[in-house]
Amino acid sequence: MTVGFIGTGNMANAIVRGMVGSGGFPAGDVVVFDRNASKRDLLGSDLGVRVVASAEELVEASDVVVVSVKPQGIPALLTGLADQIADRRRVVVSIAAGTPLERLESFLTTDAAPGAQTAVVRVMPNVNAMIGAGMSAVTGNEAATAEDVATVLDVFRAVGEVVEIPESQFSTYTAIAGSSPAFTYLFIDALSRAAVAGGMPKAQATQIAAQAVLGSAKMVRESDKSPWDLIDTVCSPGGTTVAGLLALEDRGFLSTVAHGVGATIARDKEMNAGG
Ligand SMILES: NC(=O)C1=CN([C@@H]2O[C@H](COP(=O)(O)OP(=O)(O)OC[C@H]3O[C@@H](n4cnc5c(N)ncnc54)[C@H](O)[C@@H]3O)[C@@H](O)[C@H]2O)C=CC1
Ligand SMILES: O=C(O)[C@@H]1CCC=N1
């Protein structure tokens, strides 16, 4: 099975590097096209994936076509490829935020395939796919068979964990897994910057903070305690942690995070509505 990527920017780069780097996918089964020749060529020279010179050539060569351009670029791209996609019966995957299946189907409707006959699978990955530690949500339209969805799950399983969720949960999912790497990087940088204020060199502080966050995430995954209970295991009575925790809450740490997640969900819903 050949998987093609149209658009090789930040996210497709992460996925393709993760797929081939993990050994989960032979480079020969991956095809890429970007309208920026130097971007697509870099993936070819770095990984040995097949590079093609047009979106049409990519559709011809791929069983699964992953559209990985910005949401604003999708209408023109899919409309232009709709006849060929219908004719070749390709499975289309979109990783775009704020772009519902129904809208994707509307761009793919043709005289030959009226209605929603093309299999479309919506995926929300995250950038940690680059190191095989991604988290991706998947949902298919009515035309997508269980086998189509299973194929797409396999592609994204090669770069991390996968979950099948209803489309109605995509905005929430996007906030806590698609966008949240940026929030987590910010948290790590904030820890590290505060340590720099205390006199520690930045590189060392970042390494220490990142390992502490990595270990904490692993603990949440592997312990049978809830995060809330784990907090109590760190807070010694009259100790350092509880003093820091209360100071964080003084500035509304929990509600600040919830506010950020809420704003992300709201923006995704606004984009869903065409904004
Ligand atoms: N960056 C991230 O962490 C995540 C991004 N996404 C989604 O992934 C998609 C891509 O985002 P990024 O990779 O961040 O954007 P990007 O701007 O880094 O990459 C987009 C690429 O598409 C290329 N492109 C644009 N129009 C094209 C066309 N018609 N034909 C061929 N190539 C074309 C551009 O040259 C560029 O290299 C977006 O829809 C975004 O919502 C989803 C999850 C996470
Ligand atoms: O910022 C964005 O719109 C994309 C979707 C999730 C992560 N990046």
Side-chain angles (χ1 to χ4, degrees):
M1 192 215 16
T2 307
V3 185
F5 289 80
I6 303 180
T8 57
N10 291 315
M11 197 56 232
N13 234 285
I15 299 167
V16 173
R17 287 182 189 280
M19 281 167 79
V20 177
S22 70
F25 260 83
D29 289 352
V30 179
V31 190
V32 297
F33 168 66
D34 195 291
R35 66 182 175 193
N36 177 327
S38 59
K39 277 188 169 181
R40 62 182 194 244
D41 289 344
L42 188 66
L43 272 182
S45 56
D46 280 2
L47 302 173
V49 298
R50 181 172 166 205
V51 180
V52 293
S54 71
E56 289 75 11
E57 211 182 318
L58 183 133
V59 171
E60 212 52 43
S62 312
D63 302 302
V64 174
V65 176
V66 183
V67 178
S68 39
V69 304
K70 291 286 189 204
Q72 298 77 356
I74 289 184
L77 178 67
L78 285 187
T79 307
L81 295 171
D83 282 324
Q84 191 193 359
I85 284 171
D87 187 55
R88 299 288 186 271
R89 306 190 72 77
R90 299 308 187 217
V91 175
V92 173
V93 173
S94 163
I95 61 168
T99 313
L101 285 169
E102 201 180 342
R103 184 154 349 124
L104 295 163
E105 286 167 347
S106 74
F107 304 137
L108 290 164
T109 295
T110 68
D111 292 341
Q117 290 185 9
T118 295
V120 187
V121 180
R122 201 176 157 193
V123 178
M124 180 48 58
N126 77 19
V127 77
N128 297 329
M130 183 177 291
I131 54 159
M135 180 71 235
S136 305
V138 175
T139 195
N141 71 349
E142 274 190 22
T145 63
E147 199 188 341
D148 293 334
V149 173
T151 299
V152 175
L153 283 166
D154 278 347
V155 169
F156 286 86
R157 200 175 281 119
V159 293
E161 294 194 12
V162 291
V163 64
E164 233 185 305
I165 59 170
E167 191 176 28
S168 58
Q169 289 178 4
F170 258 61
S171 294
T172 300
Y173 177 90
T174 296
I176 66 160
S179 298
S180 73
F183 310 154
T184 311
Y185 304 150
L186 179 68
F187 179 60
I188 291 170
D189 195 67
L191 289 174
S192 156
R193 220 165 271 279
V196 172
M200 188 179 279
K202 182 81 193 284
Q204 187 184 31
T206 302
Q207 181 204 335
I208 292 168
Q211 174 57 24
V213 170
L214 184 65
S216 306
K218 222 167 135 51
M219 187 68 150
V220 170
R221 294 294 305 268
E222 291 175 17
S223 152
D224 52 7
K225 291 192 164 85
S226 71
W228 203 251
D229 288 332
L230 286 169
I231 290 171
D232 284 343
T233 68
V234 192
C235 290
S236 311
T240 57
T241 313
V242 73
L245 211 59
L246 290 173
L248 280 174
E249 260 324 285
D250 247 3
R251 299 285 169 98
F253 182 72
L254 202 157
S255 61
T256 299
V257 173
H259 189 63
V261 168
T264 313
I265 293 172
R267 178 62 192 137
D268 195 74
K269 288 190 169 161
E270 196 176 75
M271 288 167 68
N272 280 340

